[in-house]
Amino acid sequence: MSAEGAGQGPGPEPGSEPGPLCPEHGQALNWFCCSERRLVCAACTELGGRCRGHRIRRAEKRAEELRNKIVDQCERLQLQSATITKYVADVLPGKNQRAVSTASAARELVIQRLGLVRSLCESEEQRLLEQVHGEEERAHQSILTQRVHWAEALQKLDTIRGSLVDMLTHLDDLQLIQKEQEIFERTEEAEGILDPKESEKLNFNEKCTRSPLLTQLWATAILGSLSGTEDVRMDERTVSPFLQLSDDRRTLTFNSKKSKACADGPERFDHWPNALADTSFQAGLHAWTVNVQNSCAYKVGVALGQLPRKGSGSDSRLGCNTFSWVFSRCGQEFRFSHDGQHEPLALLRCPAQLGVLLDLQAQELLFYEPASGTVLHIHHASFPGPLFPVFAVADQTISIVH
């Protein structure tokens, strides 16, 4: 037996209540088995006992250890209570005061900034409405001027026609010949009055409402209020054999070798690495985002369903025909392309994601960077029909974010 102390140990003190006895040997539980973590009697520790060979301690020694632990724990709890009391009394009031003052400053900052934005919006609204009013007045005045001009022309033509009819009905041959010079002059005068022609001066110029500030604010407001982007996926029937389409139909990977696994069809692009989405839009407001960070050569935009699919000509090359409008990157060059017209875009950095916002009511196509909300390019056009999201990639991969 490994024990601290020897012998049976003293029994209970005179006059004290007898303690619990060992249920196995009927002796006082004066020892503590450290192995089994329980009180035992002396017989349990001797030869044949269940705790022989265990680490044994006197019960009063174990109790003294526990009392010391309790004292230490109470001291620690007292120190912890003192720390908490000091924190509540000294620190929290200061924190609360700082929170109140910081919140007040933040509130003032929000009010100040929104006030500035509101003032700027009101000023821009007034300026644009004045431009709209001025343009309306100009168009109205031009139309009035045209009315007066053509009223005078009609009166003059009626006078000339009446004079010629009068000559025709009242003059004999000799008199008519004598009036030949006058007839010539009248005819020449009538020929000097030209037919009306279409003039842009008679139309209201909608460009007067275009404002970079309004576009930025509008785009920011729209992008912030959209509940989500469209669930755009590729139409696998259109995917070029130089592209590999992922199983979820959202990722295109460029392959310089033409795949022989793609069955040719009338919808498939057979030369340029293009793909159309399986959804078209013909009304409303639509947005989708494309992850382009892995590619240095891509095109993203919209196209009409009539976009040709076959051959290496410009008819099926995105941005080089009347059927497509695209934002493109080639190396470090960015541009917007439509109908063979390429507009260079000066970007400060390469966007990791490219957002497309299509407003068919306003007939606007907008490209933006989702991370910053920066508008990269905006294009106004009269789109002649339903538009499909369109994609091209000639380096690595691009994927639709969902």
Side-chain angles (χ1 to χ4, degrees):
M1 176 182 72
S2 173
E4 296 178 3
Q8 184 90 3
E13 295 181 3
S16 65
E17 289 286 337
L21 301 177
C22 176
E24 185 177 351
H25 302 105
Q27 297 182 15
L29 300 174
N30 293 331
W31 298 87
F32 178 76
C33 177
C34 297
S35 300
E36 297 188 3
R37 311 295 298 172
R38 69 185 186 91
L39 290 168
V40 295
C41 69
C44 292
T45 66
E46 295 173 349
L47 184 63
R50 62 181 297 172
C51 295
R52 179 174 174 80
H54 293 180
R55 185 168 177 266
I56 304 298
R57 304 198 68 186
R58 296 286 299 184
E60 60 264 26
K61 290 288 186 180
R62 177 58 182 167
E64 184 179 356
E65 285 182 357
L66 291 177
R67 289 191 182 90
N68 291 335
K69 283 186 177 181
I70 292 174
V71 171
D72 292 343
Q73 185 63 38
C74 288
E75 290 177 351
R76 283 195 294 271
L77 293 175
Q78 186 174 3
L79 290 175
Q80 186 177 7
S81 297
T83 301
I84 293 174
T85 302
K86 181 177 177 59
Y87 178 80
V88 171
D90 299 342
V91 178
L92 288 185
K95 290 283 187 182
N96 184 65
Q97 185 61 37
R98 280 191 293 274
V100 170
S101 60
T102 303
S104 177
R107 194 176 295 110
E108 290 297 326
L109 180 62
V110 169
I111 294 173
Q112 179 187 21
R113 289 186 174 181
L114 287 178
L116 179 61
V117 172
R118 191 177 297 111
S119 174
L120 186 61
C121 288
E122 290 174 353
S123 175
E124 187 69 359
E125 178 185 16
Q126 182 178 354
R127 184 184 72 83
L128 290 175
L129 290 179
E130 288 176 355
Q131 285 191 184
V132 169
H133 179 72
E135 177 60 19
E136 182 184 24
E137 286 294 314
R138 183 206 61 75
H140 180 66
Q141 190 61 43
S142 295
I143 293 171
L144 288 178
T145 301
Q146 287 286 302
R147 285 183 181 276
V148 171
H149 170 76
W150 292 115
E152 293 175 352
L154 285 173
Q155 184 178 6
K156 186 179 293 186
L157 289 174
D158 287 343
T159 301
I160 295 172
R161 182 176 177 277
S163 174
L164 292 174
V165 170
D166 186 65
M167 290 181 186
L168 184 64
T169 57
H170 295 94
L171 298 181
D172 57 23
D173 293 349
L174 183 60
Q175 291 173 326
L176 195 62
I177 293 173
Q178 290 175 341
K179 292 286 187 177
E180 182 177 0
Q181 180 61 32
E182 183 179 346
I183 294 171
F184 173 76
E185 291 174 356
R186 293 280 181 166
T187 303
E188 191 175 52
E189 184 180 2
E191 290 176 350
I193 301 175
L194 303 177
D195 293 335
K197 292 183 178 180
E198 177 61 31
S199 171
E200 286 298 324
K201 293 181 179 180
L202 301 179
N203 298 328
F204 180 86
N205 185 4
E206 296 183 6
K207 291 183 179 180
C208 69
T209 62
R210 295 180 186 175
S211 157
L213 174 61
L214 178 60
T215 297
Q216 183 70 55
L217 291 174
W218 170 81
T220 302
I222 289 296
L223 298 175
S225 64
L226 285 177
S227 59
T229 57
E230 302 287 344
D231 184 13
V232 175
R233 297 176 188 245
M234 314 289 180
D235 184 348
E236 56 188 348
R237 299 173 303 170
T238 69
V239 176
S240 164
F242 291 100
L243 298 176
Q244 181 180 347
L245 181 63
S246 63
D247 292 339
D248 63 2
R249 295 190 289 117
R250 291 196 180 103
T251 300
L252 291 172
T253 303
F254 177 71
N255 191 340
S256 59
K257 294 183 179 179
K258 190 173 185 179
S259 172
K260 297 180 180 179
C262 295
D264 193 18
E267 293 88 2
R268 191 178 302 282
F269 294 95
D270 66 353
H271 180 79
W272 299 109
N274 305 339
L276 280 177
D278 59 3
T279 306
S280 65
F281 308 117
Q282 54 186 353
L285 184 66
H286 308 275
W288 59 96
T289 304
V290 185
N291 190 336
V292 294
Q293 64 180 343
N294 295 324
S295 179
C296 292
Y298 60 82
K299 294 180 180 180
V300 173
V302 294
L304 297 171
Q306 302 95 305
L307 176 67
R309 318 297 169 88
K310 306 301 180 183
S312 59
S314 296
D315 285 350
S316 57
R317 190 177 187 184
L318 300 185
C320 298
N321 47 64
T322 59
F323 305 105
S324 56
W325 298 258
V326 295
F327 176 102
S328 67
R329 176 186 179 183
C330 183
Q332 297 302 311
E333 295 182 359
F334 298 87
R335 60 188 184 181
F336 173 79
S337 302
H338 170 65
D339 197 17
Q341 302 297 314
H342 308 289
E343 181 180 348
L345 304 177
L347 271 61
L348 297 179
R349 60 182 181 184
C350 300
Q353 292 186 341
L354 182 64
V356 185
L357 183 63
L358 178 63
D359 186 353
L360 287 168
Q361 180 181 359
Q363 295 287 285
E364 291 181 343
L365 175 64
L366 185 145
F367 298 94
Y368 65 96
E369 184 182 26
S372 63
T374 303
V375 175
L376 305 177
H377 183 71
I378 185 167
H379 179 72
H380 303 265
S382 295
F383 299 112
L387 295 172
F388 291 81
V390 69
F391 313 88
V393 57
D395 173 63
Q396 301 296 322
T397 66
I398 62 172
S399 58
I400 301 170
V401 178
H402 180 64

